[in-house]
Amino acid sequence: MPCERKPMRYGHSEGHTEVCFDDKGKFIVTCGNDGDVRIWESLDDDDPQFITVGEKAYSLALKNGKLVTASSNNTVQIHTFPDGEPDGILTRFTTNATHVSFNRSGSKVAAGSSDFMVKVVEVSDSSQQKTLRGHEAPVLSVTFDPKDEFLASASCDGSVVVWNIEEQTQVISWPLLQKSNDVSNAKSLCRLAWQPGTAKFLAVPVETKVHLYERGSWDHVSSLSDDLLTQPINVVAWSPCGQFLAAASVGGLMTVWDSSSKLCVERHKHEKGFTVCSLAWHPSGSQIAYTDTEGCLGLLDGFSNSTSDTNDNKVPGKKATQDYDDLFDDDDDRLMDEGLSDTNSPAKKPVAGNDDDDDDDDFLMPATGRVRNRGAILDDENSLDTGSLKLGQDKFGDDDDTGSAIVPSAALPVPLRPVYDGPLPTPPQKAFQPGSTPAHLTHRFMMWNSVGIVRGYNDEQDNAIDVEFHDSAVHHAMHLTNSLGHTIADLSPEAVLLACPSTDELASKLQCLHFSSWDTNKEWIVDLPKGEDVRALCLGQGWAAVATSGLMLRLFSIGGVQREVFSLSGPVVCMVGHGEQLLIVFHRGTGFDGEQALGVQLLEIGRKRRQIINGTPLPLSNKSYLCWLGFSAEGTPCYVDSEGVVRILNRSLGNTWTPVCNTRETCKSKSDHYWVVGVHENPQQLRCIPCKGSKYPPTLPRPAVAILPFKLPLCQTSTEKGQMEEQFWRSVLFHNHYSFLSSSGYEIDEDGQSRSQKEQQELLMKMFALSCKLEREFRCVELAELMTQNVVTLAIRYASRSRRMALAQRLSEIALEKSNQIQEEEQEDEPEYSSIRKSPSGYGPSEVTGKSYGNVRCQEKVHEEELEEQEEGHELEAEEAAEVQKRLNPFAKETGSPVKPSVTPASKLGRANPFKVSGSGKPSSASGQPRATNILDNMTSNRKSTLVSGPAGKAAKGPVLKPLAPRAKTKTQSTLLQMTGTKTTNKKPRENTEPTVVQQSQPDVPPPAEPAENAENKRPKTGFQLWLEENRKNIVADQPDLEETDVIKEAMGRFRTLSAEERLSWTERAKGQTGDAADLKKRKRAEAGGVDAENGGADENSAKKKKALDPSSKLSEFAFNKS
């Protein structure tokens, strides 16, 4: 019984329509003139799933869950199947693609286009493309040789061409077709088909016949024809087993031939006589789906037994194989079954799917050994291919008599040999130029960077290069004829650098257009040695670098002078230059399981000539490759991988790479990408081009640049703590370039640097306050370690007001340590001051936590003052040096500070700089709480204990504290005011202090009433404590029921309501008592040692009076002190 023709149904709008089955035959997939791809579960499916791929869909192919379509937007797109998710663009043409086809494994796609070109693209990496040029008219169809060696294509120029894919050359060309100027005007679509499995024949529809050409010899061996075929054949398709060939004509006639007997076994006429434009066999071989030019879909079903009469004309119709048992003996039964194998192909498809094995001979021998029976029906070797033999052999399994004998035959053991089951090597990624699009595109970006854009055009009309500058003040736009075929380019503010690959006749060339040259000859060309091709190139400030296929790196001056040459550690992937820096990425070995093993090298090739990074591995995301490499505008190396992760070099952490952004997080679809063109650290910007459904932007229209923010991948960034931590460390990372630039001798933006430091310290203070609220005091101390000395003082004040006395105590110790570090660094820096003043731009700020504490200008002024002081103060220094041992701080024990006074010999006098420490770092004693005030006073007293050792002279490298000098000199005070930046706020304390100094210096001041031994261990009273002693009776009288703690709280409230002058007077009185107690102690020590310390005591008291004012009066000023 012949196969059944199912009624046709509407599928798409009128126009060219194509059809195919999925790999398992579960779905019928069609595309049409309406731009949709429809996925039908069966012909009766009334609600098919659909995917819109464009305005029109010209062709489709499906393999391994990948759906490839040629649409009207001149692209070949890829979607996932059956989900229909866009998976990117495989390739582009200048006009629409006309036909697409997968190879047998599904790893490659061939596409023909109306722009006369055929492209072969790797599905896994669309940048791996081969372009086959030679047709002189639009391409009609393409098909892969099942062995992936050749590709056949037909064109409107009348030719059918066989190409060698690897060499991209024509093997043979046959002028078989009628010429036309477009696919729409062609008499036939001429859809070629290569016989599956053996790949023995190429079927070419020529007029009303199908020509079969033999692979290898390319001889025309036979033709298939039918008397009823009167109109040109449009499309041909082989059955999966390779025995039957189906053809459909312009008039709607569909014919099936047996390729071995050359006989027509099926004929069907389109129900309305429309042109059939696509055929597809079901993977089992039981059905043929077809579409017409009206957008309708049809199905021929039941091929399983319809062709049985081709092998034995005596069989009247469709019969089950067991019915033959009564007619034939065992041997004949086996013969008939073998002959009928392909008529039952639906059940045998799993075996037919494997008919691509080279060792087909293993299957030729049935288990019974009766090979002679095969020859009774088969006239010659070629009349039945090995695929059908397998089917026939498998058919024996239906026969009860021989089933037991066949099973071992089907499971013949494969010869045992060792099997490697470990990770597989990853193909190394090819060299590329960052900021360029793939070289196979006819219109492409050869370079897009911060200087400008270089575009390349390589089509039938023109082969040229356009150079455009973002800032036209650098240079006007240029149009260059690309006669040498340059494929690589770089652009800098000085020059354009171009390179072309070598050919059989010509060497690889390097061409430089040095447009910033002041002479008239602005161009130079260099030929590379034979065997070396340019793989990557870049430009820097005054130099050019070229990496070649010979693992060499060649340096040139911008004027063309050859400079250093050195060998690379592996094949180059890409490289970039910026200023004096050269960054190279190369393959350091073979990666496995999808990983690339890349190494990175960073060189400075200016005056210093040093290697900063030497071939260390370049970290990439899992199973990704490098997409972009460059420098930020400020000169920091950075790169992007295929997972969209942007990483930047962290110089302050041993040249490690920190991820700062993930562009994929902002993509709306899997197929969307961001094409990076630049990175800026200040302001923090990632400049990139959004690519919808593609990895690369088109050259026209000019794409718009988008700006993405940076974000470090810290944990819990949705919380307030996480946000502030991310902001702080991002600020630290993106302002590392200041220290690098200053150390390299570049001018830096000091305002920007100070702003960034202020921002970081503000964030630290906010985190400190948050940790205080959460009662995380240990965390507070950790944060204080990152702060500058001045901000630690502010933190002490905050902790004191928050009644965290233990925290304030620990912070005071940290403040003293930081003060020590500053002193040590300044002592080390002092011998270099003269050179620093000569070249301030090279000044490297002293750092404790990676931040600078002072302004260069301010330090120069301080140094000038210091020199004047040294001239004026020699007579006082001798006295101060003699009194060092007598001026010990009576309160030093209570603070537990590790700082000890250092005694400096008199021979070192005159070298000290008493003004080096900024006055804004003083702690406060103005807190309203007595205990907090004591802690702050202790810290102040601790610093007083070394007042003399600093100005009297400095040890060679000793840890000497050097606060302000205890001299009542106007110049000393004026320097202090300069350093705090607030003159007016300090005038008043100074005026109030001077008369007190005069009073305290008189020897006949009565000592305190308390015994001396008690004074040794008693803390000094504060102004509040004195005020409380005098007013306690009034408070108790007003509110007699208050407890002691409530009395103190009430007193604190009243004390705060006093005016500033009144509170200051109480503080002065308290300090006067402290000075008297200290004076008494010194006198006792002087009497025991036999030394007269009267004058010294007066000086000490006067100095302490002046110093004690500083912490309380200048604490709040610091918080807003921008310097």
Side-chain angles (χ1 to χ4, degrees), residues 448-479:
W448 184 319
N449 61 16
S450 59
V451 179
I453 304 171
V454 182
R455 291 185 183 87
Y457 304 95
N458 184 16
D459 50 30
E460 297 302 320
Q461 289 94 19
D462 198 8
N463 189 355
I465 294 172
D466 282 349
V467 183
E468 175 188 339
F469 295 87
H470 299 314
D471 182 2
S472 57
V474 175
H475 197 270
H476 58 78
M478 295 186 283
H479 180 82

Side-chain angles (χ1 to χ4, degrees), residues 672-720:
D672 293 348
H673 293 82
Y674 281 99
W675 194 65
V676 177
V677 296
V679 173
H680 290 256
E681 294 180 80
N682 189 21
Q684 296 176 18
Q685 290 179 350
L686 178 68
R687 301 175 66 82
C688 47
I689 295 171
C691 302
K692 187 83 173 167
S694 169
K695 291 185 179 180
Y696 308 105
T699 54
L700 290 173
R702 177 171 176 160
V705 177
I707 293 175
L708 296 184
F710 292 108
K711 184 180 180 183
L712 299 186
L714 266 58
C715 303
Q716 294 180 319
T717 49
S718 57
T719 64
E720 187 181 6

